[in-house]
Amino acid sequence: MKIEIWSDVMCPFCYIGKNNFEQALNKLPFKDEVEVEWKSFQLDPTLDPKKTQDTIQYFREKKGVPEAQATQMLSQVTQMGKGAGIDFDFGKALITNTFSAHKLLHLAKKHNKSNEMEEALFIAHFIDGKNVGDTEVLVALAESLGIDKEEARQAVTTDQLDDEVNQDILEARNNGVSGVPFFVLNGKYAVSGAQPVETFENALQQTYKETVSPFKDISGGSGASCDADGCSI
């Protein structure tokens, strides 16, 4: 069963959603049958990749949100994070353009380490206060996961992975995805937002039952039929 997840590195609800989704998946007997694919999405592609802002400043100047309101909102998100096992530190988080970070995620996907890279980027941004638009930061994250640093440098400083990032963003737009996180379950169902663990668990079970698990025979199995060994009445 394949799960596609559209996400942005600087979206706190994407981090919460990731943790809740993983908690739900780990409860299920078919967890080893699930393939997770992370997809790129940019909440604010207009940001200058050479500049950073603190979170309060960003909400005040870019979104027009009063400082008191932004502070209260971030406090609420921090509490939500604790419920998902995350200690957000918005006082350290640096807002910047995330396109290079998404290129690194696509490189990690080629090494079957996209989930680990997603987690590493969330920690770097929300907890360690690192600039996830900075080449050296990204190269160091890649190296920490066993990815060659020169390969990582090429990935984030050239346009070789631009098309893959843009394809994800276009696919989201074409499917009407306007916010993240956004989960597509085996191409049949969608779950939007940082839902509780129970919601993810129920959605995964329903999707598996309807798209993966064998059909349940409600006839009792006594009708005339044929199989590879012949026919019976």
Side-chain angles (χ1 to χ4, degrees):
M1 186 166 79
K2 185 173 184 178
I3 312 296
E4 298 164 290
I5 310 172
W6 273 267
S7 170
D8 193 8
V9 174
M10 67 175 189
C11 166
F13 297 115
C14 291
Y15 196 6
I16 293 170
K18 177 181 184 293
N19 277 22
N20 287 349
F21 166 79
E22 290 175 343
Q23 287 185 51
L25 183 60
N26 285 330
K27 291 182 177 183
L28 301 174
F30 53 84
K31 63 181 181 180
D32 292 335
E33 300 176 53
V34 174
E35 173 195 355
V36 176
E37 180 180 3
W38 289 93
K39 298 274 197 174
S40 298
F41 189 96
Q42 280 200 288
L43 290 169
D44 192 347
T46 68
L47 288 169
D48 187 338
K50 296 180 181 179
K51 296 180 180 179
T52 63
Q53 294 175 284
D54 66 51
T55 308
I56 294 293
Q57 179 188 12
Y58 174 74
F59 278 110
R60 186 179 65 244
E61 296 180 2
K62 192 69 182 286
K63 300 296 185 181
V65 178
E67 184 168 337
Q69 183 181 339
T71 300
Q72 181 181 16
M73 180 182 67
L74 293 177
S75 177
Q76 292 172 341
V77 176
T78 299
Q79 289 305 309
M80 284 184 64
K82 290 184 183 302
I86 302 166
D87 290 319
F88 285 116
D89 190 342
F90 289 106
K92 292 166 63 176
L94 299 172
I95 303 297
T96 191
N97 191 294
T98 58
F99 196 86
S100 291
H102 285 294
K103 291 198 285 187
L104 187 64
L105 280 167
H106 275 275
L107 174 64
K109 186 185 297 186
K110 298 180 188 298
H111 290 270
N112 296 315
K113 293 183 177 180
S114 59
N115 201 63
E116 294 89 340
M117 184 60 76
E118 190 79 29
E119 181 72 17
L121 284 164
F122 280 140
I123 291 172
H125 177 67
F126 286 113
I127 298 172
D128 295 339
K130 294 181 179 178
N131 177 4
V132 294
D134 180 77
T135 296
E136 298 309 316
V137 169
L138 297 175
V139 168
L141 289 177
E143 196 172 12
S144 74
L145 295 179
I147 298 173
D148 180 75
K149 63 181 182 180
E150 291 309 317
E151 184 183 5
R153 192 179 303 278
Q154 281 290 312
V156 300
T157 59
T158 70
D159 62 359
Q160 64 185 31
L161 293 174
D162 286 19
D163 287 347
E164 294 183 34
V165 176
N166 286 324
Q167 180 59 40
D168 282 354
I169 294 170
L170 178 62
E171 188 178 351
R173 186 182 304 126
N174 289 343
N175 285 306
V177 179
S178 58
V180 287
F182 193 86
F183 301 75
V184 175
L185 314 182
N186 226 22
K188 183 175 178 67
Y189 292 115
V191 175
S192 59
Q195 298 293 339
V197 174
E198 294 75 15
T199 300
F200 281 119
E201 189 175 354
N202 292 336
L204 288 165
Q205 287 175 326
Q206 181 178 350
T207 304
Y208 186 84
K209 180 180 179 181
E210 295 186 12
T211 66
V212 180
S213 61
F215 295 115
K216 181 180 180 181
D217 188 348
I218 61 174
S219 68
S222 59
S225 64
C226 295
D227 58 22
D229 296 322
C231 299
S232 62
I233 299 176

